[in-house]
Amino acid sequence: MIEKYSIKKLLDKGKIFLNKTVLVEGWIRSFRNSIFISLNDGSTIKNLQIILSKKNFDKKIIKKITVGSSIQVTGMIKESIGKKQCIELQALDLTIYGEVDSIRFQRSILQPKKHSLDKLRKQAHLRFRTSLFSSIMRIRHHIAFLIHKYFHENGFFYIHSPIITNSNSEGSGKMFQVTTLDLKNIPYIKGKVDYTKDFFKQQTYLSVSGQLEAETAALALGKVYTFGPVFRAENSNTSRHLSEFWMIEPEMAFFRLEENMNVAEDFLKYIIRYILDLCMEDLSFLNEHIKKWNKNSSLLKKLEKILKSTFIRISYTEAINILEKSKNTDFVYPVLWGMDLQSEHEQYLVTNYFQSPVIIFDYPSCIKAFYMRMNKDKKTVQAMDVLFPEIGEIIGGSQREERYDILLNRIKNTNVDNSKLCWYLDTRRFGSVPHSGFGLGFDRLVQFITGMKNIRDVIPFPRTPKNAEF
């Protein structure tokens, strides 16, 4: 029986398969001189060259072979004379699975020519077949796998937090409402919508975070993490924001803020270190792709620099002082203590001043969520943000407020409905301990590692304001 192999395995093992008859399947990337087929099955950025012999295949079959067609080929592995590949497959038999609609093909991104990223987004169902997007998706897969691997190796338990919620864990911002009510016949009681007639008998939303639920698990299991989709309804139509995105949120009992920062730095370096080892072919392809935009830019050097850097740690107040003293810098947003740092401020600190990743901690309480631990000055909370070059904040976290009275007061002061958080307050009534955690935007991490300018290009089907296609 002839064995079937992935193209990646054949190319990785190379000459081990010489003179062996094998079976491969994939999509045709190019077809030259009615003899040479470049075949790709998605397992690697590289293509396998198929050599057709006119003795084995008549003109009728050859005419049906077009770019984009899916085929099965049985043939013998031979050493390649060409410089671009070490082996090639001399075809003995070929079956065409799916032919290509020639008229639609002319309007598709499958044509072997350059296409803008915007055009790729408009055909998101086909862009998996491009070299650029297939590279990004393979890297995205490996990053996701490494996230689970890191936490498993470090004693964390994976928790599935709910996607539907009745509270906003951040205490602010817009959320997507979930309802089964007939919008043409909404029930009212005393002038207000009667949500007791709704599916969950109360007002519910898509979750913006699994943190609060993760905290309850951490206060029993010690160290846990969530990894799943979250949703925010803000009209943030930028290159760094999505309406539906994926978050990683570890929570650690008995961990203070400094320990939390240590885990965040170690976690990011772990991911980047292994991605450089596992995905060098795809990273090298992306590196060359990025150089077409900017000859002085190097994706590989940027990632290697992160590994060699010790993340600078400064307080929010120190950061404001640096920004206030910055010379020859005209910020669009004025620098004032108590303001939320803007992207221009973050990039100045990371790129211009320190030239290194930066962790800023002890933010003003007025700009942070209710669950963050209040400092003795009663003006700042034990929050921390990790800032990276190009994308700014990549991690946001804090030591959580474990003291019941202070947490309850914070909930009231930030106008959060504490009646919906009784279960959360219970965790402070029964054996509360110091604990901390952080949130990492998975898609933003993929964006940084792949070097893509727009976050829409690192997720299979982006959901953004006014866009929910495919």
Side-chain angles (χ1 to χ4, degrees):
M1 182 176 177
I2 299 173
E3 289 189 67
K4 180 170 70 173
Y5 292 94
S6 70
I7 290 175
K8 178 175 174 58
K9 187 167 186 178
L10 289 174
L11 294 176
D12 283 351
K13 300 296 183 180
K15 296 182 180 180
I16 292 176
F17 292 100
L18 283 179
N19 300 317
K20 182 172 182 177
T21 301
V22 300
L23 184 150
V24 294
E25 297 165 314
W27 296 269
I28 297 173
R29 285 284 176 85
S30 69
F31 185 35
R32 297 179 290 111
N33 304 326
S34 299
I35 297 175
F36 305 104
I37 294 176
S38 290
L39 194 69
N40 191 281
D41 64 357
S43 62
T44 174
I45 188 67
K46 295 179 179 179
N47 303 319
L48 177 65
Q49 180 162 279
I50 311 292
I51 310 296
L52 299 183
S53 170
K54 292 181 180 179
K55 295 179 181 179
N56 297 334
F57 303 96
D58 60 35
K59 291 182 180 180
K60 290 183 180 179
I61 293 178
I62 291 175
K63 281 184 178 180
K64 291 182 178 181
I65 298 172
T66 61
V67 173
S69 299
S70 59
I71 61 174
Q72 179 195 80
V73 183
T74 302
M76 185 172 290
I77 296 292
K78 293 292 183 180
E79 189 169 357
S80 178
I81 300 173
K83 294 180 180 179
K84 292 185 178 180
Q85 60 277 326
C86 64
I87 60 170
E88 58 192 22
L89 184 69
Q90 293 187 356
L92 301 173
D93 185 54
L94 184 148
T95 301
I96 298 175
Y97 286 142
E99 297 180 34
V100 169
D101 183 323
S102 59
I103 296 174
R104 288 181 175 272
F105 179 79
Q106 297 303 318
R107 300 193 297 269
S108 80
I109 59 174
L110 299 180
Q111 296 178 80
K113 66 178 186 179
K114 292 182 181 178
H115 301 284
S116 69
L117 292 173
D118 185 55
K119 187 171 183 178
L120 293 183
R121 290 178 211 126
K122 290 176 181 176
Q123 297 184 30
H125 59 305
L126 298 176
R127 64 177 179 170
F128 293 98
R129 300 267 291 275
T130 66
S131 296
L132 175 64
F133 206 68
S134 63
S135 286
I136 293 168
M137 287 299 103
R138 282 188 291 270
I139 292 171
R140 184 182 174 100
H141 156 77
H142 283 291
I143 296 172
F145 178 80
L146 288 169
I147 286 167
H148 289 294
K149 188 172 187 287
Y150 175 86
F151 288 123
H152 178 72
E153 290 176 353
N154 286 277
F156 286 73
F157 297 101
Y158 182 28
I159 299 297
H160 296 111
S161 56
I163 290 175
I164 296 173
T165 181
N166 70 345
S167 63
N168 185 348
S169 64
E170 299 297 319
S172 62
K174 296 181 179 179
M175 302 170 72
F176 291 103
Q177 189 169 346
V178 177
T179 182
T180 57
L181 293 177
D182 182 355
L183 299 184
K184 294 180 180 179
N185 188 27
I186 299 175
Y188 288 91
I189 183 169
K190 295 182 180 180
K192 294 183 179 181
V193 177
D194 184 6
Y195 283 108
T196 61
K197 301 291 193 296
D198 209 346
F199 188 86
F200 293 105
K201 293 189 176 183
Q202 59 183 304
Q203 204 166 359
T204 52
Y205 308 88
L206 294 178
S207 178
V208 300
S209 169
Q211 181 207 307
L212 301 189
E213 290 83 2
E215 280 189 62
T216 67
L219 293 176
L221 300 174
K223 293 189 292 186
V224 303
Y225 73 103
T226 70
F227 186 4
V230 293
F231 309 84
R232 293 190 182 177
E234 282 91 356
N235 189 21
S236 299
N237 207 347
T238 76
S239 62
R240 300 190 305 137
H241 292 89
L242 293 165
S243 300
E244 176 189 63
F245 54 102
W246 288 68
M247 284 282 286
I248 302 102
E249 295 177 292
E251 287 291 326
M252 300 158 284
F254 308 104
F255 273 56
R256 276 71 173 180
L257 184 65
E258 185 176 355
E259 295 168 294
N260 194 28
M261 290 189 282
N262 292 342
V263 172
E265 180 173 347
D266 184 60
F267 172 68
L268 287 168
K269 288 182 175 179
Y270 178 94
I271 300 297
I272 293 172
R273 184 182 303 113
Y274 275 92
I275 285 296
L276 282 168
D277 182 48
L278 293 170
C279 303
M280 186 51 71
E281 284 184 358
D282 286 315
L283 287 173
S284 297
F285 170 80
L286 292 173
N287 192 55
E288 293 305 311
H289 179 77
I290 290 167
K291 282 184 178 179
K292 294 176 183 177
W293 306 336
N294 184 353
K295 292 182 180 179
N296 298 320
S297 179
S298 173
L299 175 62
L300 298 176
K301 287 182 179 179
K302 179 188 76 173
L303 297 176
E304 289 165 356
K305 185 177 179 180
I306 296 293
L307 292 181
K308 295 175 182 177
S309 300
T310 298
F311 293 11
I312 303 298
R313 301 183 185 187
I314 58 170
S315 69
Y316 170 88
T317 301
E318 290 173 312
I320 291 295
N321 289 337
I322 291 170
L323 293 169
E324 286 177 335
K325 294 175 182 177
S326 62
K327 297 179 181 179
N328 303 320
T329 304
D330 295 323
F331 293 122
V332 174
Y333 295 92
V335 178
L336 297 168
W337 196 97
M339 66 173 288
D340 206 351
L341 295 180
Q342 302 298 315
S343 179
E344 59 179 343
H345 305 133
E346 295 172 345
Q347 286 308 305
Y348 176 82
L349 293 168
V350 173
T351 306
N352 299 83
Y353 194 83
F354 289 111
Q355 298 181 353
S356 170
V358 176
I359 304 179
I360 299 178
F361 59 90
D362 286 353
Y363 280 82
S365 59
C366 58
I367 62 173
K368 289 297 182 181
F370 68 89
Y371 50 75
M372 298 183 179
R373 196 180 201 278
M374 186 70 73
N375 284 319
K376 291 181 180 179
D377 61 13
K378 296 184 179 180
K379 294 180 180 179
T380 61
V381 290
Q382 294 186 27
M384 66 93 172
D385 287 339
V386 181
L387 310 182
F388 263 21
E390 299 177 5
I391 60 171
E393 180 193 333
I394 195 167
I395 278 179
S398 68
Q399 183 171 333
R400 317 310 190 186
E401 183 57 77
E402 83 278 12
R403 298 164 295 185
Y404 174 80
D405 292 340
I406 297 176
L407 178 61
L408 183 61
N409 190 53
R410 284 278 285 156
I411 289 174
K412 291 178 180 177
N413 290 339
T414 50
N415 297 317
V416 176
D417 186 355
N418 68 320
S419 65
K420 296 179 179 179
L421 290 175
C422 285
W423 60 273
Y424 182 69
L425 288 167
D426 269 354
T427 61
R428 273 63 173 178
R429 294 187 182 102
F430 303 107
S432 181
V433 300
H435 59 288
S436 64
F438 59 80
L440 167 68
F442 176 65
D443 308 282
R444 197 170 286 187
L445 177 61
V446 178
Q447 185 183 2
F448 177 78
I449 288 176
T450 59
M452 300 305 293
K453 298 296 183 184
N454 197 312
I455 200 166
R456 294 171 177 84
D457 298 323
V458 301
I459 190 169
F461 299 103
R463 298 292 181 252
T464 53
K466 300 179 182 179
N467 175 52
E469 291 184 279
F470 311 105

